[in-house]
Amino acid sequence: MSPLSAQAESACDQIPSDAEKQTKTTAKSLESELYVKESTLRPKKPERQKQARAVESVIGTNDASIVSKRDVEKYYDYPFPHVYRNFVKKPRRRSPLIHRGYFLRMYAIEKVVKNFLSEASEKRKVVLNLGCGFDALPFQILAKEKEICGNTTFVDVDYPSLIAAKAAIIREQDELRSLLDKIIDSKNPKAVPLSSDQYVAVGCDLSKVDRLDQILRAEVPLQQYKILVVAEVSITYMDLAAADAIITYAAGLGDVRFCLLEQILPAGPSHPFAVQMQGHFEKLNTPLKSIYKYQTTKHQAQRFRERNWSSVSSRSLWNLWCDPCFISAQKRSSLNAFEPFDEWEAFALFASHYVLLVASNTAKAMAADYYLEATYLGSDDITNDYDADKAAYVSDTPMPHEPKETIRTHGVIYKGRRDEFYHYGGFGEMKRLDTTNVYTPKHTTPFYDGTLPSAMEPRMCHTATTFPYRNQDGSYDCFIAGGRASPEHALADCWLYRNYTWHQVESLPEGRYRHSATSVVDGDGDHAVLIYGGRSSDGAALNSWLCWHDKLGWTKILCDDNSLMPRFGASMISNGPNTGILLGGMSEDGVVIPEFWRWEIDFKLEPPRIKVGAHCFSSAFLQQTVCRFGASISSGPSCVFVVGGVACYGCLPLAYELLELNTDYFDVRPMDLQMQSLTGVPIPLLIGHNSVWDGDGLAIVGGGVVCFSFGSFSNIGVWRMNQDGRIEYNPWYLCLEKDQMPRPEPLPKRIKLTTNNRNDVSDESRTAPIPASRERLSRPGRFERIVNKSEPVVIEGLGVGPCTTRWTTDYLKRQVGPERQVTVHQAESGDMDFQKKNFAYVTKDFGDFIDEISAGQTQYLRSLSKIEPAGSPANLANDYPHIADDFRLPPELQMVTQSFHSSVLRISGPVTMWLHYDVMANVLCQVRGMKRLLLFPPSDMSSLQIPFGESSSSTNVFAADALTSESLAETHPVEVVLQPGDILFIPPLWAHSAYPTEGVSVAVNIFFRTIATGYATGRDIYGNRDIQAYEDGRKDIEKISRRFVGIPSGMSKLYLERLAAELLAKAAKLGAS
């Protein structure tokens, strides 16, 4: 975007007015991709040339940004009209990585703006875009979302000449001008070259706050309006004091929200991606001036709190990408249809280095989280224990001399003869490779030159498995499987290296890449290769297990547990003959999966079967840090090393990139490469690299990434973490060809970085709910096992009938009858509380109810029996017969039908259902809209503040920082986001709370019995009455306590506590059994 630095603007204010007129003329020249030729903005006086060049550089960022946004508009199938085409003459198709990055930027800003515009308000609204450049968001929304912006004025502010040019284009382009009802002549046409009820263009130096305030108040009575200020990668180019002054000024405008999107340094300024990003902007003469003081999302939030913003929510773009409430899994997956994409690590690093912050300045305003719709609780600010002087450095000492090696990422590494290892394939500087780098100990000649058969086509993202035994001549056998050419061309061919020769063997049943592979030992004691997951040519994530044996070829391995969701890019390794671990990976829609699995194969069965079991680490941070995407994994003498990749929170802290994992006790120890880095050696970027235990330590070779539009970073040489913890650089010698040692060349120096802020403290105390398992019921009896396990599970892929498409609000009104009387919960706020009764039971027409919740009113319908509301459980078939046939419970859930208690129609506006538990099991079938739930196991009951004898709590678990409060910090929440067609099994006694995340929510809730006897006698129309034994027990407690009347209080207390202890002991014994 085109921000206005104070220095740049002070120069531009002195440009003669005829230069501004010339800019308008230049807007028509179309010599460049844009309608504006920025060279016309250069002042003519020599003393101003430096400042003018700074102006041009800042304005130049508008060029790149606007062309990229036009690309997204064109190639990502944005609905028409395409308004950016009015500012960009010819689209330039950029890389899929840049397209996806700009899509996320545009989506994020648009989401916040739309949420703001959709918020109910009697005031007129203003969207004030600071440093707007040629951004066309106002016209996108005016063209496609007219119903939410009828009471809104968009105000664009930027450099005067740029704004003049933008105004000229708007006037000239019918497509844009027609969206404005009437263009009004401004009293100050130089400062306001275009004004209308819907849109105002303002040219002003942002550092001159008084002047900006004067212009704005003359055009728009700000104190009377509700305001959203937007600064998309703009004020970060300003001097820090001027940028902070803008934030302070905006807080005093009245009823205001502020949306900021700009760069951050989540892993510190010395992370290789950060170095590349900072260097890019320095080279463009547009340094990022806010980034050093406000390095993380936490720092940015504090920045606003210190400037009178009462509510602040800040998330990295990657955090928001992973949040299904911000961007749905369906939306993420849909992007793959527009162009093939497999640059996930680069995308995660890019998105981790941008913050989206929303702040509000009044207590009456919606919480900032409302505008972000951010519910994902993955870690965002992680501890960055870096020292800038040690981490980023320059040295006059020459780098170690090595032959010039081939740069490669996403290759494979395997052992050869004696102590050699080979680095094969991957992606080089411009193409996929079919070459091999051979590494040997210093000053030795390789036995094998690393060539491969010409029939093996170049590839990347394949696997190479070295068998753990040596042949009599000291060589190792190796197996290469799959990989890809392009993301749409997965390879299936497989190759075995034996007796110094490569042989093609039986191909995979289906081509795959980014799969996981390791060696195992079969029932006869022979070595085999186990493969799991990966990605196919059509972009699908795979979930199959395969085993290759040189006598049997490929065998499919059956897995009894469907809770292991499809994934690619996971890390897998054996820790025994037929046991091992699987960690991390990425789902088909592009989210890192923070799961850790242990597996064991039974080759005695026919066909062989594999058992898997999930392991959870002691903290959410550790779980999310260990379980990664794109990591390399290697076995050491007594542990496993997990190296690099990206975490579910995105960019890994440098101190946690290399982990030592004990697979017996699951102890984790970070090995800090950065803090021990060698003078003069750039820190490696551990993406697309390979690692291997070489006998003396862990060797890391290759890797690098395209750093968005900031250039590429490639690792050079070999790093080794020795057993004593020392770091060595280039302990291995690179041989390009046998017996040929090229003349060594020194590596380039790194520029030293400095920072004024080394106190990067982050919050790791945040409790992150564990996502519920998601399963597809592929075998009979699986649902019964889920019920017996008594844990929440989302069942997907079964379908619940045509209701998911038919049950629109209009259809429901028509079929149920608009005048049908229903009793609804009419809430005072968005958070219902059964204990405090902050709602009323109101009887009204069904049609009125539907219209009111569609308009955003906080109401909720829980259907009751039509015949006997106070005496019988609800039954959808009897209570709503005209829509009941649209809903069909899948036959796989026949246990629900056989033990049926009730079926409830639930229709909800934007209101949270209070935290409560049900005594009966139930399945919640989501029909329309999306719904988020938090569920707590029965073991957390004592922390949930549910009064004795009741089933509801006043605790709002969705409130800000609720899960980190003292009462809930030790709980074990499970998170679920339901989409239409999903079926959630809720076990008995699991407390849960829910709210719709998208539009009106419609669901069918079916309660069923899971125990033969013991339910409370008498009526239980809701399925949440405590069992009879508990109700009787509470009566017995009253009788027991009355028996102590007249006994001294101290003695009564002692004996009652002993009785309570005895009961607890019996409870513990029952639990153990």
Side-chain angles (χ1 to χ4, degrees), residues 251-304:
L253 288 177
D255 189 0
V256 189
R257 295 104 184 100
F258 200 116
C259 174
L260 175 76
L261 190 150
E262 66 183 36
Q263 296 87 345
I264 53 173
L265 302 172
S270 58
H271 188 281
F273 186 96
V275 171
Q276 197 74 26
M277 179 176 71
Q278 294 164 91
H280 167 79
F281 287 102
E282 292 279 356
K283 185 176 180 180
L284 293 178
N285 194 29
T286 56
L288 306 175
K289 298 181 180 180
S290 298
I291 201 168
Y292 297 107
K293 184 172 183 180
Y294 307 115
Q295 294 188 11
T296 68
T297 58
K298 184 178 179 181
H299 292 151
Q300 286 282 10
Q302 187 63 29
R303 176 190 195 182
F304 275 73

Side-chain angles (χ1 to χ4, degrees), residues 95-126:
S95 72
L97 173 62
I98 293 178
H99 287 165
R100 190 158 297 217
Y102 268 94
F103 162 81
L104 183 54
R105 272 181 55 170
M106 294 167 68
Y107 181 92
I109 294 292
E110 188 174 335
K111 182 95 167 178
V112 174
V113 173
K114 286 182 179 179
N115 283 345
F116 170 73
L117 296 178
S118 301
E119 184 183 351
S121 175
E122 296 179 357
K123 296 180 179 179
R124 187 171 179 84
K125 296 177 181 177
V126 168

Side-chain angles (χ1 to χ4, degrees), residues 681-730:
V681 182
I683 297 170
L685 181 53
L686 298 180
I687 299 293
H689 64 285
N690 298 101
S691 62
V692 63
W693 184 262
D694 65 8
D696 296 316
L698 181 72
I700 301 171
V701 62
V705 77
V706 175
C707 301
F708 198 61
S709 58
F710 313 137
S712 298
F713 187 101
S714 301
N715 300 330
I716 303 295
V718 179
W719 291 71
R720 182 166 70 190
M721 172 77 75
N722 289 321
Q723 295 190 59
D724 59 5
R726 292 182 301 106
I727 298 290
E728 279 190 273
Y729 182 70
N730 279 351

Side-chain angles (χ1 to χ4, degrees), residues 390-405:
K390 291 182 179 179
Y393 36 70
V394 67
S395 173
D396 293 330
T397 305
M399 299 276 288
H401 287 184
E402 284 296 323
K404 184 177 181 181
E405 66 183 271

Side-chain angles (χ1 to χ4, degrees), residues 929-958:
M930 293 174 62
K931 181 176 290 184
R932 182 189 180 214
L933 296 93
L934 285 178
L935 303 97
F936 298 82
S939 58
D940 288 345
M941 188 79 71
S942 60
S943 300
L944 301 180
Q945 301 178 32
I946 299 177
F948 297 126
E950 300 186 22
S951 59
S952 301
S953 170
S954 290
T955 301
N956 181 3
V957 296
F958 293 114

